[in-house]
Amino acid sequence: MLANLSTQNAADVAIMGDFNHPEIDWESVIIEKNINHSSQHSTDAIRDAYLYQHVTQPTRYRHGQ
């Protein structure tokens, strides 16, 4: 889906949701997992589609975190 966005002629696109990758440091886009981890695949797809992550910190916390 993200790869298809780069072929569309849309100027403004917002993709919202919880992709659940807490291991990604969004400010530097560094992942402390191996290259085959799902978070690496997600950041590769985001980068390939020329998208930008606006939210850089967790938006909620659960008891015990």
Side-chain angles (χ1 to χ4, degrees), residues 23-58:
E23 59 279 335
I24 300 173
D25 176 359
W26 286 109
E27 290 185 28
S28 61
V29 192
I30 292 175
I31 300 137
E32 296 184 11
K33 298 288 181 180
N34 69 39
I35 196 164
N36 292 320
H37 194 269
S38 62
S39 59
Q40 182 66 49
H41 296 297
S42 294
T43 55
D44 289 345
I46 289 167
R47 200 170 310 145
D48 292 347
Y50 300 100
L51 298 176
Y52 177 79
Q53 172 68 21
H54 289 276
V55 179
T56 59
Q57 298 178 356

Side-chain angles (χ1 to χ4, degrees), residues 2-27:
L2 292 176
N4 289 337
L5 285 173
S6 62
T7 63
Q8 302 296 319
N9 194 15
D12 298 312
V13 175
I15 300 171
M16 295 181 274
D18 185 359
F19 294 99
N20 206 16
H21 290 298
E23 59 279 335
I24 300 173
D25 176 359
W26 286 109
E27 290 185 28

